[in-house]
């Protein structure tokens, strides 16, 4: 057995490698043999078939079935021939060797051979029959004019030959493989045995066993290695003996040193404490045990807490000592020597001063803390006695010194105080007099009865007197001569009596001339030592200008500066009071009208803001004429007004006033030489019992006003709960739409546009679709309008443009053009997106990024957008045309564009609106309109597309009118991009669409 793992692995690898090579060689030989035998069989089959065709030519041409049958039966005796079959030129079987019937697979091959064939054409292939696989050969007779000879060769013979050859080859390979394994095993064993002996000897040497020897005497490398290892083992034995003797000698010296050090430690006066890394006491000396009054050696082996803070120590024990040691252990190793003075605790609870010196060190991986402790009780006692004697001496000296200094200072202070008091009195009197005379506020002193006893010049000026003396003599009773309302004086005295002071007391005063002014007083009560009031003194300030400015600011804060009407804040305050009155009085009714002027922006932009401001003032005056004094008319800003109708008897009064307002605003008004017409859309809230806050009423009135604008402007609309629910629904829908645009959850679908003259799909119109996870499919008529109102239409349009450009690139690859030609895509562009400053540059960037042909991109815009933006729209269209983009007018015939304007527009295509196509049935007027649009478009050199084609009759009429391009449900609804890919993969997409229409596979999406 081979004990060497190295040679065992080598032997296993050789066995595996040889087995792999043997199997690969056998498989390759079988594969070569198979192909060669197959080729020979094919040659043999072809030769037999040709022999039959040539030798039996006469009887085959005469279709002599009996002779042919007798001849072909002889060929079955040939090795490998499975069947022989002869057919005439039409494929009819003349004779065959099958019993009882011809298999179906052979009949199918005979049917394939019927028809014209090439001269000398033959066929060779493999077929599967019930009796096994057969090599089938077909040879024509007289190039097929005389018929065909069909022969089948049994392939099982080939398989038998191959299996026999493979088995023999594997047998020989296995015998050779076994012999090779035995030889390799013997060879490996002869090599591995000396190596195993050498390994055993090395293990003994590693275990310090030098008694053995190696009996390897070969002259090869293994013999040399064995001799070298024996020599090295003898040297190691000698070296280890010397080392053991040296270790014994040094161990004795170390023991002597340890005993010497232990004697020193045991006899030092200071206590020694050694703590290991785990916080256990490793060693102490007798001095430490004496300091803490514990048994000798009792602390060793205990943790710091058990050794110094257990219950036998009393109180907190040596908590501070343990804390210092734990902190030193955390701070680390090799720290310098540190000393502390703390209080220790002896066993029994006695506290004493303790000096601790400690150092942390690490040696040979062992961390320790060494502490020297000294009892400082006697030293502390001596220091305290010395300090007490020193403090007593210092205290006696200080007391004597203070006594002498106090006597001297008292004499000096008495003299200085007299001088300071005299000077302070003079300065205070001068300062008070200066303040009193020069103050801008009026300063007064009056008795509780109302007589003025003192006043300064400022007070005289405020009350209209020339001098204070004149004021004192001229006013005998301030309640009568100064206060405009005597009750204010009474309130002043009552507050002074109650609190002893008044702060910011405002009242109206009468000047000497009779002029009324606003003043504010701040005063206090002055009483004697018995608490009796002597007089009132304080300040008086004229605040007339401040009061007037405050009133102006309040007016401006609650009124519109242009019209003078109340603003939103004041209106909401009145509305809040109306709501409160309605809650108190159930028979109290009110209504709110919310107005917005129609076409005011056009007037403002065309005639200027000055004319617009005059129009707003005119409207404000008309609104005042329509309401009563108790009603409130307010302007909220811009062209928005609100009216609060209070104390109305019935809701019809609000409707009557709304009609009156529309009637008055309907008359033209001359402003600055311009005759201006305007109207208003009005929202009305009548049922106010359910409201609590003014904002809710204004919200619903605003909702009703916008509903009136949606219905055609210049009308009023009364709010109902459905409007609020619709507003909430639209708000929620806008939120979901914004989220869908950000997450790119919308899809772009494509409706085919058909070229009727060429009978093929020539392009698509890109239409955006939104399928919400909870709301389902949201109609475009809802979210497109919402996107335009919320400003999301620009981001939505950019998304559609990017998707369309990407698909133009895919659908116009070379293999697609070969079937369908160039396919264009039409995109609907909103007015907001089209009038962006650099819309043409944005389109150009997408064309370059995707490297698409701009001739395949078409933009559809409406007539109303062209009319609204005029020359700016024409400039943008021209830039797009310069890029090569085609322009199309969508929904042609529904706007207001003139023919002359259409002639100047740089457009390529017009689209007939679906409403005209829908009236093509029996409506002669509708046919005339469509025929006129087609005639107009072709006369201007424009392409015309009819959209909304849903019936064959409509398509037939449009074809008779000469309309080439059609679009509608008749051909297909809008399809996802994936379905368009499938459609374009067909040879004839239009035929497929027609078949789908006949089967009604497409849903009716008319109007989307």
């Amino acid at each position: 057995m081979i004990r060497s793992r190295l040679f065992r692995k080598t032997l296993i690898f050789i066995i595996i490698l040889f087995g792999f090579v043997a199997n690969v060689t056998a498989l390759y030989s079988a594969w070569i043999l198979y192909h060669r035998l197959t080729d020979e069989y094919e040659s043999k089959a072809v030769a037999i078939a040709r022999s039959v065709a040539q030798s039996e030519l006469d009887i085959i041409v005469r279709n002599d079935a009996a002779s042919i049958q007798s001849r072909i039966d002889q060929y079955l005796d040939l090795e490998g021939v499975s069947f022989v079959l002869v057919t005439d030129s039409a494929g009819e079987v003349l004779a065959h060797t099958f019993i009882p019937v011809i298999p179906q697979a052979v009949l199918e091959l005979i049917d394939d051979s019927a028809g014209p064939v090439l001269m000398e054409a033959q066929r060779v292939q493999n077929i599967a029959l019930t009796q096994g696989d057969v090599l089938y050969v077909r040879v024509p007779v007289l190039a097929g004019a005389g018929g065909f000879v069909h022969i089948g060769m049994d392939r099982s013979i080939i398989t038998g030959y191959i299996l026999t050859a493979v088995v023999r080859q594997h047998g020989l390979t296995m015998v050779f493989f076994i012999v090779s394994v035995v030889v390799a095993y013997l060879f490996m064993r002869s090599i591995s045995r000396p190596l195993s002996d050498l390994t055993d000897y090395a293990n003994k040497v590693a275990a310090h066993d030098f008694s053995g020897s190696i009996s390897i005497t070969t002259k090869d490398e293994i013999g040399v290695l064995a001799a070298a290892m024996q020599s090295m083992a003898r040297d190691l034995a000698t070296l280890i003996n010397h080392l053991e003797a040296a270790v014994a000698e040094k161990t004795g010296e170390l023991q002597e040193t340890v005993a010497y050090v232990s004697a020193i430690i045991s006899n030092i006066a200071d206590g020694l404490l050694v703590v290991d890394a785990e916080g256990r006491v490793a060693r102490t000396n007798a001095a430490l045990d004496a300091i803490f009054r514990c048994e000798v050696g009792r602390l060793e082996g205990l943790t710091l807490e058990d050794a110094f803070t257990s219950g036998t120590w009393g109180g907190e024990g040596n908590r501070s000592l343990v804390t210092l040691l734990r902190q030193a252990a955390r701070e680390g190793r090799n720290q310098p020597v540190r000393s502390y003075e703390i209080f220790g605790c002896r066993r029994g609870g006695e506290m004493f001063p303790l000096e601790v010196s400690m150092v942390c060190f690490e040696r040979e991986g062992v961390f320790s803390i060494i502490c020297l402790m000294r009892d400082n009780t006697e030293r502390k006692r001596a220091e305290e006695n010395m300090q007490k004697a020193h403090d007593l001496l210092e205290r006696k000296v200080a007391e004597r010194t203070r006594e002498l200094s106090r006597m001297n200072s008292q004499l000096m202070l008495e003299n200085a105080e007299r001088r300071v008091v005299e000077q302070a009195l003079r300065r205070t009197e001068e300062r008070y007099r200066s303040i009193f005379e020069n103050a801008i506020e009026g300063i007064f002193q009056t008795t509780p009865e109302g007589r003025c006893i003192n006043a300064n010049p400022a007070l005289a000026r405020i009350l209209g007197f020339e001098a204070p003396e004149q004021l004192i003599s001229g006013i005998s009773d301030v309640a009568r001569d100064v206060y405009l309302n005597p009750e204010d004086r009474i309130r002043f005295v009552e507050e002074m009596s109650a609190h002893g002071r008044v702060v910011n007391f405002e009242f109206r005063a009468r000047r000497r001339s009779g002029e009324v002014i606003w003043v504010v007083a701040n005063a206090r009560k002055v009483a004697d030592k018995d608490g009796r009031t002597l007089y009132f003194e304080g300040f008086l300030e004229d605040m007339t200008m401040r009061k007037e400015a405050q009133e102006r600011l309040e007016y401006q804060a609650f009124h519109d500066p242009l019209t003078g009407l109340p603003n939103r804040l004041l209106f909401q305050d009145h509305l809040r009071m109306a709501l409160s009155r309605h809650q108190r009085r159930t028979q109290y009714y009110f209504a709110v009208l919310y107005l917005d002027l129609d076409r005011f922006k056009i007037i403002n932009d065309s005639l200027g803001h000055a004319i617009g401001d005059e129009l707003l003032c005119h409207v404000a005056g008309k609104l005042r004429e329509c309401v009563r004094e108790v009603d409130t008319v307010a302007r909220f800003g811009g062209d928005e007004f609100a009216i609060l109708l209070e104390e109305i008897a019935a809701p019809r009064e609000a409707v009557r006033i709304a009609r009156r307002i529309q009637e008055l605003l309907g008359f033209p008004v001359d402003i600055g030489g311009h005759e201006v017409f305007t109207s208003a859309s009005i929202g009305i809230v009548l049922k106010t019992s359910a409201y609590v806050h003014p904002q809710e009423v204004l919200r619903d009135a605003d909702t009703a006003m916008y509903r009136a604008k949606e219905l055609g402007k210049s009308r009023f609309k009364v709010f109902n709960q459905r409007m609020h629910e619709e507003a909430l629904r639209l708000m929620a829908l806008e939120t979901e739409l914004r989220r869908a645009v950000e997450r790119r959850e919308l899809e772009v679908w494509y409706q085919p546009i058909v070229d009727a003259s060429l009978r093929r799909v020539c392009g698509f119109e890109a239409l955006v679709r939104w399928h919400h996870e909870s709301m389902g499919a949201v109609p475009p008529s809802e979210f497109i309008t919402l996107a335009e109102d919320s400003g999301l239409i620009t981001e939505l349009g950019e998304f559609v443009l990017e998707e369309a450009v990407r698909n133009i690139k895919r659908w116009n690859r070379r293999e697609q053009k070969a079937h369908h030609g160039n396919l264009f895509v039409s995109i609907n562009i909103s007015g907001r997106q089209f009038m962006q400053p650099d819309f043409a540059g944005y389109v150009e960037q997408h064309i370059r990024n995707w490297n698409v042909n701009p001739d395949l991109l078409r933009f559809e815009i409406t007539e109303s957008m062209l009319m609204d933006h005029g020359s700016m729209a024409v400039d943008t269209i021209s830039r797009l045309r310069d890029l090569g983009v085609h322009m199309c007018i969508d929904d042609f015939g529904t706007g207001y564009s003139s023919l002359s304007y259409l002639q100047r527009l740089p457009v390529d295509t017009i689209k007939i609106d679906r409403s005209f196509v829908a009236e093509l049935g029996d409506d002669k007027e509708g046919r005339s309109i469509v025929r006129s649009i087609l005639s107009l478009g072709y006369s201007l050199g424009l392409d015309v597309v009819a959209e909304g084609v849903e019936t064959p009759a409509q398509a037939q009429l449009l074809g008779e009118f000469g309309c080439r391009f059609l679009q509608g449900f008749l051909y297909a609804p809008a399809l996802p991009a994936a379905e368009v890919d499938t459609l374009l993969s067909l040879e004839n997409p239009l035929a497929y669409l027609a078949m789908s229409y006949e089967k009604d596979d497409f849903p009716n999406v008319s109007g989307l």
Side-chain angles (χ1 to χ4, degrees), residues 29-31 33-39 41 79-80 126-127 131-135 153-168:
S29 300
W31 181 77
L33 181 61
Y34 172 82
H35 281 280
R36 289 184 178 178
L37 288 176
T38 301
D39 292 340
Y41 249 65
E79 182 183 12
N126 294 319
I127 59 174
Q131 62 269 30
D133 292 343
V134 175
L135 180 64
M153 303 295 292
D154 188 0
R155 294 183 61 89
S156 61
I157 298 176
I158 301 176
T159 305
Y161 289 159
I162 294 173
L163 180 61
T164 302
V166 170
V167 169
R168 292 175 180 176

Side-chain angles (χ1 to χ4, degrees), residues 554-561 563-574 632-637 642:
E554 289 179 355
Y555 180 85
Q556 294 173 1
F558 293 101
H559 289 79
D560 176 47
T563 62
L565 295 176
N567 62 6
R568 182 185 291 270
L569 292 176
L570 186 56
F571 186 86
Q572 289 181 347
D573 185 63
H574 289 186
T632 302
V633 179
R635 177 179 176 236
F636 282 3

Side-chain angles (χ1 to χ4, degrees), residues 774-930:
S774 60
M775 294 184 290
V778 182
S781 57
E782 288 190 18
F783 71 84
I784 293 296
T785 304
L786 186 61
E788 291 177 347
D789 295 339
S790 61
L792 292 172
I793 193 66
T794 301
E795 298 178 30
L796 190 59
E798 292 175 356
F799 165 71
V800 174
L801 176 60
E802 181 179 347
E803 289 293 312
V805 171
R806 183 171 62 85
N807 285 319
I808 289 175
K809 182 69 175 178
R810 290 195 310 110
W811 295 338
N812 285 279
R813 294 193 182 103
R814 184 175 302 171
E815 59 273 14
Q816 296 287 356
K817 290 183 181 181
H819 291 293
H820 312 292
N822 290 329
L823 296 172
F824 64 84
V825 174
S826 295
I827 305 173
N828 292 282
I829 303 297
S830 68
R832 185 190 295 267
Q833 182 182 10
F834 191 76
M835 295 315 298
Q836 284 185 311
D838 194 26
F839 176 71
Y842 175 78
V843 174
E844 182 181 7
Q845 180 182 356
H846 270 68
I847 292 174
R848 290 182 177 177
N849 291 343
W850 289 96
N851 191 25
V852 299
N853 183 3
D855 188 60
L856 303 177
L857 183 62
R858 300 189 178 185
F859 288 156
E860 297 185 8
I861 54 179
T862 61
E863 295 177 77
S864 57
M865 192 271 289
L866 291 172
M867 298 301 295
D868 290 342
H869 299 285
S871 59
M872 294 179 60
V874 173
D875 292 341
T876 303
I877 292 175
S878 299
R879 290 186 60 190
L880 293 172
R881 287 289 302 278
D882 293 340
L883 294 175
V885 178
H886 290 250
M887 301 302 299
C888 174
I889 297 180
D890 195 14
D891 301 334
F892 185 78
T894 60
Y896 306 97
S897 60
S898 64
L899 298 181
S900 60
Y901 190 69
L902 176 64
Q903 186 177 7
R904 296 195 304 270
L905 287 176
V907 297
D908 307 278
T909 307
I910 58 176
K911 253 190 175 181
I912 303 175
D913 187 65
R914 65 177 62 250
S915 61
F916 299 130
V917 176
E919 297 174 356
L920 282 177
D922 299 327
D923 190 352
K924 295 181 179 180
E925 184 179 350
R927 297 183 182 183
S928 300
I929 293 174
V930 173

Side-chain angles (χ1 to χ4, degrees), residues 127 175 280 350 403 490 524 548 607 753 792 844 922:
I127 59 174
V175 172
R280 293 186 177 274
E350 179 186 352
E403 184 178 355
I490 297 173
R524 70 184 183 93
E548 292 175 352
L607 301 180
I753 299 174
L792 292 172
E844 182 181 7
D922 299 327

